[in-house]
Amino acid sequence: MLEYLRNGEHLLSLWLGLFVASGIAAGIVSGFFKARKIQPRGFKWKIFRNEAGFAIINLAITGLLLGTLKTKLVEAGAISFNPAPATWWIVALEYALYFLLFDTYFYWLHRWMHKEPVYSWVHKIHHKSTSPNLLTTLSVSPLESLINGGFVPLFLAVFTVHDATVALIVPTNIVMGLYVHSGYEFLPRWWNRSWATKWFISATFHDQHHRYFTGNFGGYTTIWDRLCKTMRPKFEADFDKVKSRSTHPDVVADAPAGENA
């Protein structure tokens, strides 16, 4: 029976992998991704190669340190989880608490990282890429990874949340990191026009932070950038330009990465 289940899981994983791969291939062939590229002429192979090196070093160091830290905190009883069943609204409240606290933590430390000498020591490697891609997510100095990644152990040490909440927190970190650095905008054109959604960042929002090196500091939301007036004035207009290419692929591409506006 166990062997049957393992084979079933293997086949499901294989099917999902093929489904994702075929979807990506179809998107490339059909021009779906090309029409949604935020900086059509921004990709540079040299930068991508360097990012791969930085990513490997970062993962090797911070994976060990953060993993060890979490294990030690759990063993010492500083971190514990609530295994009891929880209603959906309890999990939602715990998740919202994490979401807003991390966004606040990230915004203010991110602004601090843009000040010298902290920028040169901590954040400069991440800004080697002016046109981010998926690999940019991991292309950071180990110090920056420890600062950003250290929030989850800190949060779990202060708050005892349910297992279901933790199951949402980890994927959120991964998915949001990959999405905002993807270099592609998949959100609908009305995103910044709706009061309910304009508070959540888009790939274009963070892409502009890399392109212009300043402004748009938020990690999950635009709340602090709006309150502190650090959101780029042309962001919403530029978002519309990116989205117009998805419906009018013949629109002239934007200026090369790094050109100020």
Side-chain angles (χ1 to χ4, degrees), residues 2-18:
L2 285 175
E3 187 65 28
Y4 176 79
L5 290 174
R6 289 184 186 130
N7 289 336
E9 289 174 357
H10 176 72
L11 288 173
L12 179 60
S13 298
L14 180 62
W15 184 87
L16 288 174
L18 290 173

Side-chain angles (χ1 to χ4, degrees), residues 133-149:
N133 58 79
L134 294 176
L135 201 54
T136 309
T137 312
L138 301 173
S139 180
V140 297
S141 75
L143 281 173
E144 182 170 352
S145 264
L146 289 173
I147 291 171
N148 291 336

